[in-house]
Amino acid sequence: MLPLSQEDNELINQLNRHPDIKDRVKSIVSIANNDGDGIVTADEAESRVIEEVRRMGNEVLTGWAESRVEKAGEALPSEEKTVRSGKKKICWHSTFGEIDVIEQEYRQPGKRFRPFSESAGITCRGCSLPLQRVVTDFGADHSFGRVPEKLKEHYGITLSASTVRAVTQTHAQHIYDRRKAERIEEQPAVTGRDCVIAETDGSMVPIVVTDKNAEDRRKGKKYSWKEARLCFAHIPGETTLKFGAEFQEGVDEAGKNLFDCACRAGFGVGTYLHSVGDGAPWIYGQIEKQFGDQGNYLIDFYHVCEYLEAAATACSEKNGAKAWSNRQKALLKEGRVEEVKESLKPHLEPEETEDQHAPVRSCLRYLHNRPGQFDYLGAQARGLPIGSGEIESAHRYIIQERLKIAGAWWTPENARIMLALRVDRADGYWEKYWDNIKRAA
């Protein structure tokens, strides 16, 4: 056997000072050497390694904490007025489980302090930053009540649903505040990309408001559905989208978010902005307000087709409704909107007929009230979309997958910040957010 080097001897001495870690290293090496542990399959080996690494991680963090407790006390200035004031147990949650150590508390006139806790950035029963990231990741996608099960399954640790909620919503609030502070509200004074596609639309979210003055808070709750507005922008042909969202802050706020998305996507001097929507007046109004002459708004083709199909039966011969509606759709795509209007006029219902029973009148009014918003011919010539399927799809995977899960009811404040969290992840800022926190620590 070769003699041990100085480095080997130093490693052995260090392991001897931490017998628990030494035993864990022996177990891991034993698995690597396949020393008769009865491990046959790769799955068994992997499961054993995961368990050993979890235990070793806990032991290493405990050893580090105990060492830091001693050094933190030694680093205190020798002042007569600083005296020991007993020992206290402190514990915190990590991705390797709960870590607990006994630390020395000190007293000075008018205050007590714990040098280890303060220098290590630890609060009793708190969560480490790596664990906060895990919890927020799960909390962004799953109900707070289900996250503890997933933490137990994937990390072998136990946290309460209330802790999960607090951690997730704390970071959601930080993200909401940061997005507000960093939002672009002035057009860049540089030449932008040739074209930017931007869409926005609303989706209903379940909201609960509690009457704080009610004697019984359980009976003072009001449930309703409120609109959350989502938007995005991207360059034609590119799949990277820039997202924005607002909840119950007004259409101007939604417009500012859309402008911010467009600027981050490449909107600037000389950019043509193409927007598609369902005909809601607020959308067109914000396109005009935020982008002026550079913006063009197009009514979703499939949305206007619903009006045509509803009017088709009244405007056609028996069994000719489909052929009639197909003809009108073709005219729209050819830019012949006036011909479509003329085909509707002979079939208008009497004035006394209620709107809900007057599909022809509704269709004609819809076309008449939105001049210049049916240029499908121009959009297709540019290779631009004439439908708003992208934003409708985004509603499903950003808003509905989390904020509309079964049994979920949100306060307006929590809906707002959770929406910001979901949008930030979709926007690709997740990694940057945690990197910034680590640098600021």
Side-chain angles (χ1 to χ4, degrees):
M1 178 181 292
L2 294 175
L4 295 177
S5 66
Q6 181 179 352
E7 184 179 1
D8 292 335
N9 283 317
E10 289 177 358
L11 177 60
I12 290 172
N13 290 334
Q14 289 177 14
L15 288 174
N16 285 335
R17 289 198 293 271
H18 300 280
D20 291 340
I21 298 175
K22 179 181 177 181
D23 290 342
R24 200 64 56 207
V25 171
K26 287 171 62 177
S27 297
I28 292 173
V29 172
S30 176
I31 296 172
N33 291 334
N34 196 22
D35 291 341
D37 284 340
I39 299 175
V40 178
T41 68
D43 291 341
E44 291 176 317
E46 183 177 350
S47 297
R48 278 288 304 279
V49 170
I50 290 173
E51 183 59 31
E52 294 294 343
V53 168
R54 281 178 181 170
R55 291 178 179 176
M56 185 167 71
N58 188 286
E59 291 158 359
V60 168
L61 285 175
T62 300
W64 167 84
E66 291 171 344
S67 176
R68 285 292 304 161
V69 166
E70 295 180 11
K71 292 180 179 179
E74 294 170 0
L76 285 175
S78 55
E79 299 178 5
E80 294 183 3
K81 293 182 179 179
T82 301
V83 297
R84 295 175 181 266
S85 180
K87 293 185 176 182
K88 301 289 184 178
K89 179 179 179 180
I90 183 169
C91 58
W92 73 95
H93 301 286
S94 77
T95 53
F96 295 106
E98 189 172 286
I99 312 298
D100 58 83
V101 292
I102 304 297
E103 67 168 324
Q104 181 66 54
E105 185 179 60
Y106 294 85
R107 187 178 72 246
Q108 289 179 345
K111 71 171 184 177
R112 295 173 183 267
F113 62 97
R114 302 182 186 183
F116 166 68
S117 298
E118 294 175 7
S119 64
I122 294 169
T123 57
C124 193
R125 310 304 300 175
C127 295
S128 68
L129 188 60
L131 180 56
Q132 289 180 47
R133 178 171 180 166
V134 171
V135 168
T136 306
D137 188 25
F138 281 136
D141 292 334
H142 304 282
S143 69
F144 301 131
R146 289 193 59 198
V147 172
E149 303 171 8
K150 294 188 174 294
L151 291 171
K152 189 70 174 178
E153 169 67 21
H154 297 288
Y155 291 88
I157 59 180
T158 301
L159 275 185
S160 67
S162 60
T163 299
V164 170
R165 178 191 297 274
V167 169
T168 303
Q169 292 182 341
T170 295
H171 288 287
Q173 182 69 61
H174 293 332
I175 287 171
Y176 173 82
D177 293 339
R178 191 211 78 233
R179 291 185 69 89
K180 280 275 193 180
E182 295 179 355
R183 186 171 64 189
I184 301 171
E185 297 190 0
E186 297 291 336
Q187 179 174 314
V190 296
T191 301
R193 300 292 292 270
D194 291 340
C195 180
V196 169
I197 297 171
E199 296 182 20
T200 185
D201 196 13
S203 181
M204 305 307 285
V205 174
I207 297 298
V208 59
V209 177
T210 302
D211 183 358
K212 296 180 180 180
N213 298 319
E215 293 184 9
D216 188 342
R217 289 281 188 93
R218 295 170 299 176
K219 296 180 180 179
K221 294 180 178 180
K222 294 182 179 180
Y223 298 90
S224 61
W225 290 80
K226 300 294 183 181
E227 186 177 42
R229 296 184 177 99
L230 181 69
C231 61
F232 72 76
H234 67 93
I235 302 300
E238 295 187 5
T239 56
T240 301
L241 279 62
K242 303 299 181 182
F243 288 97
E246 68 83 27
F247 178 74
Q248 293 292 286
E249 294 176 281
V251 295
D252 284 343
E253 194 72 10
K256 290 177 181 178
N257 286 333
L258 185 61
F259 183 82
D260 171 70
C261 291
C263 291
R264 288 189 286 121
F267 181 80
V269 177
T271 300
Y272 175 82
L273 183 119
H274 176 74
S275 182
V276 188
D278 62 6
W282 73 265
I283 301 178
Y284 170 72
Q286 287 302 314
I287 296 298
E288 191 174 49
K289 182 176 182 178
Q290 299 295 334
F291 302 100
D293 294 339
Q294 290 180 253
N296 181 71
Y297 183 63
L298 188 70
I299 296 293
D300 175 90
F301 181 73
Y302 306 98
H303 188 77
V304 73
C305 285
E306 293 177 356
Y307 281 86
L308 290 171
E309 289 168 359
T313 301
C315 295
S316 60
E317 303 271 340
K318 185 178 180 181
N319 299 324
K322 185 174 182 181
W324 182 89
S325 63
N326 286 341
R327 171 60 179 161
Q328 308 315 309
K329 294 174 189 178
L331 290 174
L332 281 178
K333 286 187 176 181
E334 294 170 6
R336 297 156 68 179
V337 182
E338 293 304 318
E339 292 184 40
V340 177
K341 292 181 182 179
E342 291 300 319
S343 69
L344 289 165
K345 289 179 181 178
H347 307 284
L348 281 171
E349 296 86 359
E351 291 184 6
E352 59 269 19
T353 304
E354 295 181 358
D355 284 349
Q356 60 184 351
H357 301 300
V360 179
R361 184 200 304 151
S362 297
C363 184
L364 182 60
R365 182 192 299 141
Y366 189 84
L367 296 172
H368 179 76
N369 289 345
R370 292 164 176 81
Q373 299 178 24
F374 302 98
D375 186 18
Y376 304 113
L377 184 64
Q380 291 179 310
R382 288 172 173 262
L384 298 174
I386 62 173
S388 57
E390 274 189 297
I391 192 67
E392 292 169 8
S393 176
H395 273 295
R396 287 191 289 272
Y397 64 78
I398 292 181
I399 298 179
Q400 296 173 14
E401 279 189 2
R402 180 64 179 96
L403 274 70
K404 292 179 74 171
I405 57 176
W409 290 90
W410 302 89
T411 65
E413 297 78 15
N414 288 340
R416 191 170 295 128
I417 62 175
M418 287 300 292
L419 181 57
L421 171 58
R422 296 280 297 176
V423 165
D424 216 52
R425 284 157 54 92
D427 237 350
Y429 282 93
W430 179 254
E431 196 70 38
K432 182 179 178 181
Y433 171 73
W434 293 103
D435 287 345
N436 287 342
I437 289 182
K438 285 190 288 186
R439 282 196 292 267

